[in-house]
Amino acid sequence: MNVYSSLERRFARLDAIGAAAGILGWDSQTLMPDGAADGRADQLAVLRGIAHEILTAPETADALSAADETALDPWRAANLAEMRRLHAHAAAVPGDLVEASSRAISKAEMVWREARAQSDFGMLLPHLAEVLRLQREIGAIKGAALGFGTYDALLDEYDPGMRRATIDSLFADLRTRLPGLVSEARERQAREPAPLPLDGPFPVEAQRRIGLALMRALGFDFARGRLDISLHPFCGGATDDVRITTRYDAADFGRALMGVLHETGHALYEQGRPAAWRNQPVGKARGMSLHESQSLIVEMQACRSREFFAFLAPLVRTEFGRDGAAFTPENLHRLHTRVEPGFIRVDADEATYPAHVLLRYDLESALIAGDLALADLPGAFNDGMRNLLGLEVPNDRLGCLQDIHWPSGAWGYFPTYTLGAMAAAQLFAAAKRGEPGILPGLATGDFAPLRGWLRRHVHEQGSRLPTDALLEQATGRPLGTEAYLAHLETRYGSARAFSFEVDPGSREGNAISQ
């Protein structure tokens, strides 16, 4: 137990270093002046280098080898397994490569902001090329050490245990079935009267008040987190200091609203992790597919339901001082469940969103493999948008420059969005079966039944179980496409219910909500 205890102390130090880096990273995307970029890049590189040194030190390796999992209780044994996994990833990569990658990422992120504003991929190209070169090198080194392919080695960092072969199988089902579902949804919409538009402007301060009210209703702990503005919405910060951001558009309050809901789903996961293990690997979130499932349960499953708009509509009318048919629950629901291909991934509707992820998955796989030259990325991106969504991309800002993921070094991250959507549908279906108060609660702004179910079945589990084992424990089956496609068919297909009557105490009212 003494050897194991020394490891807990060592990994608690690593957690503190990671928390400091998280706050510095949040600041760089929200408040940091541009002139501080080079210094911040050095600070983050040094912190990540120190963390890498601690994690790969001979003393760490010796302790991990000497620790006896058979003498530990299940949580400590799982913690030791996570320590060993993290060490194996880190030990494969030289420290100077970690620092070089960190500096390249910090520089690319800052250039991306300007390149996106000017819609100029050429401005970002040399910096993104350096990030890609280093990510390929890291992936190849890790893959050789861990027995994975290069892409799988990068993917494993975000979604432990997930492999391209599994993704390809799951995504093949979506490639086959989603185009018909999208076509059917759009044909049905064309036969119906169009929803009434919402005429702005919508003052940013009123949008912020609505966002804060929804965060409180969801259960966000403002004593351990905050809401800010950034160019690209995200959830970051540190343990017990969870920072989320959104971006506002005075002409369309739905963008910030749904961004806040999405990031609050992430934040609830972070704030709900097992308190006794917060600074240990086993207390961390179990990979980004599950993390994305938590944001999408909130944003898509719960907060695009009919019940939720019964709660939201009065809040919106009060804050914006508006009334009339456009601001009824029914019209707001129809606006936010409308299927219409668009350029921007984060604003995409639920049915066409997977196409954005499939495109990015295909592109980053080809870039990592060397099958696509980085200079050809804009054209390949635009071709993919044309083939998948029938859209002609007018410029780089609406095309390959819209996401920060590749400049920030997050290669292998994009698949987790759609894997998370699948997990979200599976978990939400199980939650409704297990907790009848969830749907009636949404109609009154009472998220406690949903939050409580997620706390027990996901948040408080930390990384104690592999993703599929956690899903099987919570839902009765490993990750699959069935619940997700059934959800999309129910919400958007021809057989969906049209009645909008919502009785918070009625089981019949619950049955029509999707």
Side-chain angles (χ1 to χ4, degrees), residues 14-27:
L14 286 169
D15 181 73
I17 293 170
I23 295 299
L24 287 175
W26 165 84
D27 178 75

Side-chain angles (χ1 to χ4, degrees), residues 155-176:
L155 173 66
D156 195 73
E157 183 176 345
Y158 300 107
D159 205 347
M162 182 57 70
R163 300 291 179 264
R164 280 194 65 185
T166 301
I167 294 174
D168 288 342
S169 176
L170 292 169
F171 282 9
D173 199 16
L174 299 186
R175 293 179 199 271
T176 299

Side-chain angles (χ1 to χ4, degrees), residues 60-326:
T60 304
D62 291 344
L64 287 170
S65 296
D68 180 8
E69 61 268 27
T70 63
L72 303 174
D73 64 67
W75 273 95
R76 287 181 171 83
N79 196 34
L80 179 59
E82 281 299 294
M83 291 174 175
R84 287 171 171 163
R85 183 184 69 81
L86 293 170
H87 175 264
H89 268 271
V93 185
D96 58 352
L97 182 54
V98 171
E99 292 199 26
S101 177
S102 179
R103 288 190 171 90
I105 286 167
S106 293
K107 181 64 175 177
E109 286 179 338
M110 293 305 296
V111 174
W112 169 78
R113 288 167 173 75
E114 186 176 357
R116 181 180 181 276
Q118 296 189 27
S119 192
D120 183 357
F121 179 75
M123 180 185 299
L124 178 64
L125 179 58
H127 305 283
L128 186 58
E130 179 66 2
V131 172
L132 174 57
R133 182 186 72 80
L134 293 167
Q135 288 297 303
R136 278 178 179 156
E137 187 174 350
I138 289 170
I141 291 172
K142 282 188 177 183
L146 302 174
F148 304 156
T150 299
Y151 188 86
D152 279 346
L154 297 173
L155 173 66
D156 195 73
E157 183 176 345
Y158 300 107
D159 205 347
M162 182 57 70
R163 300 291 179 264
R164 280 194 65 185
T166 301
I167 294 174
D168 288 342
S169 176
L170 292 169
F171 282 9
D173 199 16
L174 299 186
R175 293 179 199 271
T176 299
R177 297 174 63 181
L178 279 177
L181 190 149
V182 170
S183 295
E184 180 184 325
R186 298 196 74 199
E187 289 169 5
R188 179 189 50 73
Q189 286 175 176
R191 296 192 297 268
E192 301 173 0
L196 300 173
L198 305 178
D199 296 326
F202 302 102
V204 166
E205 187 52 41
Q207 293 189 48
R208 177 176 168 80
R209 288 195 299 270
I210 293 172
L212 292 172
L214 292 175
M215 289 170 69
R216 291 188 192 96
L218 282 159
F220 183 90
D221 182 357
F222 283 95
R224 298 189 294 134
R226 56 182 289 136
L227 170 67
D228 292 281
I229 299 173
S230 68
L231 186 60
H232 192 102
F234 69 93
C235 174
T239 301
D240 291 326
D241 188 1
V242 182
R243 311 290 179 91
I244 74 170
T245 69
T246 193
R247 57 189 178 197
Y248 296 100
D249 181 348
D252 180 5
F253 71 85
R255 291 184 175 184
L257 171 71
M258 291 301 168
V260 166
L261 292 169
H262 182 98
E263 302 306 337
T264 301
H266 282 305
L268 292 177
Y269 194 178
E270 288 299 310
Q271 292 184 338
R273 293 189 286 110
W277 300 97
R278 285 260 171 82
N279 65 358
Q280 294 296 309
V282 76
K284 303 301 179 187
R286 174 74 289 171
M288 290 312 303
S289 290
L290 265 185
H291 228 310
E292 292 302 335
S293 79
Q294 299 309 286
S295 63
L296 293 171
I297 278 177
V298 172
E299 179 198 0
M300 293 295 185
Q301 296 287 330
C303 294
R304 292 186 196 247
S305 69
R306 296 175 184 274
E307 284 84 357
F308 173 73
F309 284 97
F311 164 65
L312 178 67
L315 179 61
V316 167
R317 288 197 297 265
T318 298
E319 286 293 347
F320 294 133
R322 305 294 181 85
D323 210 340

Side-chain angles (χ1 to χ4, degrees), residues 312-342:
L312 178 67
L315 179 61
V316 167
R317 288 197 297 265
T318 298
E319 286 293 347
F320 294 133
R322 305 294 181 85
D323 210 340
F327 289 87
T328 61
E330 180 176 12
N331 194 62
L332 291 175
H333 176 260
R334 293 181 65 202
L335 283 167
H336 286 90
T337 55
R338 192 158 181 81
V339 176
E340 186 171 356

